[in-house]
Amino acid sequence: MLVMDVDTCIPRARVEHAETAKYESEFKTGRRQYTQQFNTLYYKRLNTLKPFILNHARTKWEPKKIHLTPKVLNVEGPEPTFIVGTIFMDSQAKPSTLAQVENTHWISDPTPPRMYRDGTETVYLEDESGRIRLVGDAVDKAVLASGVVAAMMGCETQAGDFDVIDMCFAGMAEQPERTFSEDVFVALVSGLNASVEQPVTLEMQVLAEYLCGAAGGANDQKTSARIVQTVVAGNIMNVPVPPIGHTEDARANDRVPVQKLVASVDAYLSDIAACMPLALLPGPGDPSSASLPQQPLHPSMFAQCRQYTGFRTLTNPAYFEINNVLLLGTSGQNVRDLCRYSNETPCQLAAQSLQWRHVAPTAPDTLWCYPFTEHDPFVVRTTPHVYFAGNQKFEAGVAVGTEGQKTKVVMVPEFSVSHEIVLLNLRTLECSTVHIDACV
C-alpha cells in the first residue's frame, strides 16, 4: 500500500506544451453528415499513399527489370510485374449489418468474432479499375489487414489470380527532429471505467494521490514531481447503454444516474487537473461518437476540470506535442480490430501500422468511421516520436523506418483490470509501469 508522506513538498517540473490547435483539426469533423458513400474515403487513401509506395516499389524491383502494371485488371501473362492497390479480405467471419437487420430488425453494435482471418478468407487487391485475387505463400504468411494500401509483385496464374512473390508498403513518414530534454515523465492511463455503481474506486483515489505527489515515500514523490502531463486514453467512464428498442421517457428521469456518474468523474479528475496538465481521449465506453475519429468529450461535462488551463479534451485518435516530443495516441479500438486479422501482438501490429502509414486501415470495413470525402485523416503524414494505444495489456517496442525514423510504441494497460499506469520518460522515451496497490 502507498503510504502518505505529508512532510515533503517537492516542486513539480514544468515543460512546454504545443498549442492544441496545431494538431487537433486533423481529426475534427464538425457537423457530421452520413449521406456520402465510403468509396471516396478509399479513393483518397489510395491516391495519398500510392506515390510513396511506388517510390519504394520502383527502387526495390525495377533494377530487376520488373515494372509496374498501372491497373490491376491489366495484368496479363506469366511475366513478373507489380501492381498497387488496397487490400480487401472477404471472410464469412466478418460482421454483416444487413444480415443482422434481416435477422433482428434492429441495428446494434454486433459482437465481433475473435478472428476475421482464419485461413478460409479470400484476399483481393483493388484499385479504381476493379479487383484481382491474391494467392501464394507470401500472402498467407504476411501480416495484412483489410484497407492496407500495398504494392504486390508477382504474376498472373492460369486461373486469373495474382501469385504474389513479394510486397512492399508506404513505409514510415517523415519524422521531425527531437531535442533531448531533462528527465520528465508523461503518465499514460486508460480504462478507469468509472461506473454508476462505483464512480471512484479506492485504486482510482490512490492513483490521483500518487500523481499529485500525496502518496508514497520520498522516491515516489520525487518521481511524481517529474510528471508533467497525464493522459487518459479512453474508457474514462462506463456509461450504461439503453437496451435495444428503449424509448427514453423524460418523466422517468433515467438520466440521473449517468449525470451523477459524470459529476463524480469530473470532481475526481479535477484533483489531477489542479496539479498538472490533463488530457482526455474518449473511448468506446465514454459519451462520445461511436465511430472514429471520436470527437472530444463535451467540456460541459467537466465544469470543475475546465477551470484549469491545462485541461484538454481531445479526439480519438489525437496528435499532441509535449516538450518537442510528438505523440500520437488512440484509445485502442484500431489496434483491437487489427488483432482480429493476425496473431501478432498488439504492439507489433501497432508498429506495423506505422509502416503501412495508416493507424486505422480496417476502417470502415470492420471498424466504424466517419465517411470523409476530402481526405483520409488516419493516414500518418508525420511520424510521431511516441505512438500509444489504450485499453491493452502493457507492452512496449520500437518501430524503425528506412530513413532513420524511430517511434516508441506503447500499449497502455486497462487500469480497472491491471491497476497499472505507464510512465514515459520524454528524454529517453523509455517507459515503465507503476502498480497502484490499494490493499490495506
Side-chain angles (χ1 to χ4, degrees):
M1 179 178 179
L2 295 173
V3 180
M4 296 292 293
D5 186 348
V6 296
D7 296 330
T8 306
C9 183
I10 304 174
R12 183 166 298 278
R14 304 290 178 183
V15 296
E16 178 184 354
H17 291 72
E19 290 295 325
T20 308
K22 182 178 179 181
Y23 297 104
E24 70 176 358
S25 60
E26 188 77 18
F27 299 106
K28 285 287 188 70
T29 59
R31 185 176 179 84
R32 293 194 172 200
Q33 297 179 348
Y34 289 88
T35 56
Q36 60 271 42
Q37 298 295 314
F38 284 103
N39 63 318
T40 304
L41 178 62
Y42 280 118
Y43 177 80
K44 294 292 183 181
R45 181 184 306 177
L46 175 59
N47 282 275
T48 300
L49 294 176
K50 193 172 184 177
F52 305 106
I53 295 173
L54 282 175
N55 182 51
H56 284 284
R58 284 172 172 146
T59 301
K60 188 175 184 179
W61 295 320
E62 285 193 344
K64 302 176 183 178
K65 308 300 182 183
I66 301 172
H67 300 285
L68 170 71
T69 297
K71 297 186 184 301
V72 299
L73 292 188
N74 290 345
V75 173
E76 291 182 356
E79 287 297 319
T81 184
F82 68 89
I83 51 180
V84 179
T86 304
I87 292 169
F88 174 74
M89 290 192 184
D90 188 13
S91 170
Q92 293 296 321
K94 288 162 65 173
S96 171
T97 302
L98 291 178
Q100 189 183 25
V101 171
E102 289 178 357
N103 295 332
T104 66
H105 305 292
W106 295 104
I107 298 178
S108 64
D109 187 3
T111 301
R114 193 186 73 84
M115 293 292 291
Y116 296 141
R117 196 174 184 190
D118 56 5
T120 62
E121 74 285 342
T122 305
V123 185
Y124 298 94
L125 194 70
E126 298 181 333
D127 65 7
E128 59 273 15
S129 70
R131 64 168 59 166
I132 189 170
R133 182 182 178 184
L134 304 179
V135 297
D137 288 343
V139 174
D140 296 336
K141 296 177 181 179
V143 178
L144 297 173
S146 266
V148 173
V149 181
M152 299 288 169
M153 189 272 284
C155 57
E156 186 184 29
T157 67
Q158 290 184 347
D161 300 329
F162 192 77
D163 187 8
V164 177
I165 301 172
D166 196 5
M167 62 187 70
C168 72
F169 308 102
M172 294 172 69
E174 292 183 357
Q175 186 177 51
E177 290 189 12
R178 181 172 66 90
T179 56
F180 294 92
S181 62
E182 56 185 332
D183 286 310
V184 292
F185 301 93
V186 172
L188 300 175
V189 187
S190 73
L192 294 175
N193 287 316
S195 65
V196 169
E197 295 78 13
Q198 194 173 14
V200 180
T201 63
L202 183 56
E203 289 82 7
M204 288 172 60
Q205 190 59 51
V206 176
L207 170 62
E209 292 173 359
Y210 172 77
L211 293 173
C212 295
N219 289 334
D220 293 313
Q221 292 184 359
K222 286 179 181 179
T223 300
S224 64
R226 308 302 297 171
I227 300 175
V228 297
Q229 168 95 50
T230 294
V231 179
V232 185
N235 287 357
I236 302 157
M237 59 190 88
N238 189 4
V239 176
V241 179
I244 296 175
H246 166 78
T247 302
E248 188 172 40
D249 185 351
R251 294 171 298 179
N253 208 18
D254 58 1
R255 292 182 179 179
V256 170
V258 175
Q259 291 171 346
K260 290 182 177 179
L261 168 62
V262 172
S264 298
V265 171
D266 177 31
Y268 167 75
L269 293 175
S270 68
D271 291 339
I272 302 174
C275 296
M276 70 184 74
L278 173 64
L280 307 180
L281 279 68
D286 296 310
S288 178
S289 49
S291 57
L292 295 183
Q294 287 183 281
Q295 297 305 284
L297 296 168
H298 201 282
S300 64
M301 294 191 295
F302 303 99
Q304 296 186 50
C305 287
R306 63 182 180 179
Q307 298 177 26
Y308 302 101
T309 56
F311 175 73
R312 296 182 291 174
T313 57
L314 305 177
T315 57
N316 169 35
Y319 279 102
F320 52 99
E321 187 176 315
I322 306 173
N323 211 29
N324 295 315
V325 177
L326 181 61
L327 296 92
L328 170 61
T330 79
S331 295
Q333 298 101 309
N334 58 327
V335 175
R336 288 197 174 191
D337 201 54
L338 284 175
C339 289
R340 298 188 178 101
Y341 289 87
S342 172
N343 290 319
E344 300 286 303
T345 68
C347 189
Q348 291 170 329
L349 290 170
Q352 182 61 48
S353 69
L354 294 177
Q355 303 290 348
W356 294 332
R357 209 176 287 205
H358 203 283
V359 296
T362 61
D365 186 20
T366 54
L367 183 65
W368 291 0
C369 80
Y370 180 73
F372 290 92
T373 57
E374 299 299 325
H375 70 300
D376 182 352
F378 304 111
V379 171
V380 180
R381 291 169 173 80
T382 303
T383 296
H385 301 114
V386 179
Y387 175 34
F388 65 88
N391 301 288
Q392 312 293 320
K393 292 183 179 179
F394 174 71
E395 189 181 2
V398 178
V400 180
T402 57
E403 298 175 357
Q405 307 97 320
K406 286 187 178 182
T407 297
K408 189 72 175 184
V409 183
V410 184
M411 300 295 102
V412 184
E414 192 172 11
F415 183 80
S416 63
V417 176
S418 66
H419 302 152
E420 289 182 337
I421 66 170
V422 176
L423 293 186
L424 172 72
N425 188 316
L426 289 181
R427 182 180 68 84
T428 64
L429 299 188
E430 292 300 315
C431 57
S432 59
T433 59
V434 176
H435 183 77
I436 304 299
D437 188 356
C439 294
V440 179

